[in-house]
Amino acid sequence: MLSLRLTRGARPLVLLRRSLVTVAAAGASFLLLCALGFASGHPSDSQGAVGRLLWCVVPLATTVHLAVAVGRADPSTGPGPGFTAAGLGPARSALLTAASMATACALGGVLALLTFLHLRGDLGGSWLGWAGNGAASRQLGGGQPLPPAGTVTLIAVVPVLVAAACAAGLWPRQPRAGHPPARGPRGARRPAVPARPTVVTGPVGPRPHHAASGLPWGIALTAAGLALQAYASGDAPPHPDAVLAVPGRLDGNPPGVVGGWALAAIGLVLAGPGLIHLCGALLAVGRPGVLRLLAGRVLQQEAGLIGRPVGVLCVLGSAAYTVLELYGRASGPSGAHAFGPLTGLGAALATLCAAATTVTAVLEARSARGRTTAALLRLGAPARLLRGAAALRATALLALLVPLVWVVAHLTAMPFRR
């Protein structure tokens, strides 16, 4: 009830972000239901059903990532004096955020179920019934009964995963300290005086000096994934169309190739904060001026917040480049092959979620440095300096990440160019 009251009193931008979560949850739930419908309509094609179900993993993961980012940036469920006075500390605020995001995802699941039943023809005539004599309805298992337990389970997957991820990601953690807090003569705790000044980055994201710690592991995982994919592609069919026949076919996708892609993607996401921190360090190297110093320090400070969303964008960009290049080679000039509707829906949903997550993280980072920006303006810093620093940060990130995405995409597609 408190989540609903907070939603009613939220600002338009907050409502827009929650609406995006609802739309993303509806798309992910619809893909899960499509896999169930295909399985019920084609009981003998278990391989195709498993392929469609596996194709839902990427949109589902990006949906959960978006929900966590929106919940973290939501000011209506953050800690404040009013919540503290009402007995809602950081732990209960995290649970409140999880309940709020789960409610938005549950609404999306209901919308997905209604749309799915309508397209199957269970709620009357479907507007897809004219296409291919009801071929779309048959692909969704039209005319075959759906298992109620399986339907409810798939509808609950997105809200449950989002609630668990939000609660785990926003749960308050004890700050790292070298020594326990000092105690008085009667056991009363006294605040320990830090040995040196620390940089406060807020409750989200790692500290700047911890952001680069995942860079070596990310590079190692990416290299291992590319090597595994190149090794396993020796057993793949020579025609690249079989590699990209998703969803619905696993015969052209050896497990080593899929595992290599997944490993490389995890490595890029893990290396995202370190890459942004490295980009900021390169901007501030040597004897920088005010513009380079400001842009570099801001990138280093915000690497832990925007690094993972940018890493997800790099993964999607690399995958899109690889798939489009290989699909162009497979289809040839005639364009006989085309992406299926479920493949297009999953790709569009993953792209939308990744872009929305990145924008949310950027806006959150901008809000977090609001006091610093106001202090610079009070000290007489010109507004064009701040705009120039923002432009320099964007240019530096593009100069670093675009070649990286191009290299990873070419290395991914190289084993199939034969």
Side-chain angles (χ1 to χ4, degrees):
M1 185 59 68
L2 180 57
S3 300
L4 295 178
R5 289 183 177 273
L6 291 175
T7 301
R8 289 176 53 191
R11 294 179 296 180
L13 182 60
V14 176
L15 293 177
L16 176 62
R17 290 196 293 242
R18 293 190 180 185
S19 300
L20 288 177
V21 173
T22 301
V23 172
S29 300
F30 181 78
L31 289 175
L32 291 172
L33 290 173
C34 288
L36 177 64
F38 182 86
S40 63
H42 304 78
S44 60
D45 190 4
S46 59
Q47 196 174 27
V50 172
R52 282 168 168 77
L53 191 61
L54 290 179
W55 175 240
C56 302
V57 172
V58 176
L60 181 60
T62 53
T63 300
V64 173
H65 192 206
L66 172 63
V68 173
V70 170
R72 185 179 57 206
D74 195 346
S76 62
T77 55
F83 286 96
T84 304
L88 290 176
R92 294 188 178 182
S93 296
L95 296 179
L96 180 62
T97 302
S100 178
M101 292 297 103
T103 302
C105 292
L107 176 60
V110 172
L111 295 177
L113 179 61
L114 294 177
T115 304
F116 177 72
L117 293 178
H118 174 69
L119 295 180
R120 278 171 46 93
D122 295 340
L123 301 181
S126 171
W127 59 273
L128 288 179
W130 62 271
N133 297 325
S137 177
R138 289 195 299 271
Q139 286 295 320
L140 300 180
Q144 299 294 329
L146 291 175
T151 304
V152 173
T153 300
L154 290 181
I155 288 296
V157 164
V158 180
V160 169
L161 287 181
V162 165
C166 287
L170 304 179
W171 194 263
R173 294 171 175 82
Q174 294 294 334
R176 296 180 180 179
H179 303 280
R183 293 178 178 270
R186 295 187 179 180
R189 292 182 178 268
R190 295 181 299 182
V193 179
R196 58 180 179 179
T198 57
V199 179
V200 179
T201 59
V204 293
R207 292 184 175 90
H209 62 279
H210 290 300
S213 60
L215 183 59
W217 293 102
I219 294 176
L221 285 178
T222 303
L226 292 175
L228 177 61
Q229 180 257 339
Y231 176 78
S233 62
D235 300 331
H239 200 276
D241 177 52
V243 179
L244 300 172
V246 289
R249 287 180 58 184
L250 291 178
D251 53 342
N253 297 281
V257 173
V258 179
W261 283 346
L263 202 60
I266 294 174
L268 279 179
V269 174
L270 187 61
L275 289 174
I276 294 182
H277 191 275
L278 175 63
C279 185
L282 292 177
L283 276 179
V285 72
R287 302 179 63 182
V290 177
L291 184 63
R292 282 203 300 127
L293 181 62
L294 181 60
R297 289 295 182 259
V298 169
L299 276 181
Q300 289 179 295
Q301 183 75 16
E302 298 175 354
L305 183 59
I306 66 176
R308 299 292 169 81
V310 171
V312 174
L313 275 184
C314 290
V315 170
L316 292 180
S318 175
Y321 185 91
T322 304
V323 169
L324 289 177
E325 181 177 353
L326 294 180
Y327 233 105
R329 291 172 177 268
S331 59
S334 61
H337 302 279
F339 292 105
L342 296 183
T343 305
L345 176 61
L349 178 61
T351 305
L352 171 66
C353 291
T357 304
T358 304
V359 172
T360 301
V362 169
L363 292 179
E364 184 182 1
R366 180 182 179 183
S367 176
R369 66 172 184 270
R371 293 184 178 180
T372 304
T373 303
L376 289 175
L377 292 177
R378 286 196 305 268
L379 291 175
R384 67 176 180 273
L385 175 64
L386 302 179
R387 292 193 296 266
L392 182 59
R393 292 196 302 270
T395 304
L397 286 178
L398 290 177
L400 177 67
L401 297 179
V402 170
L404 175 65
V405 170
W406 184 83
V407 169
V408 173
H410 272 263
L411 291 178
T412 302
M414 187 178 297
F416 304 106
R417 293 172 181 165
R418 36 183 171 124

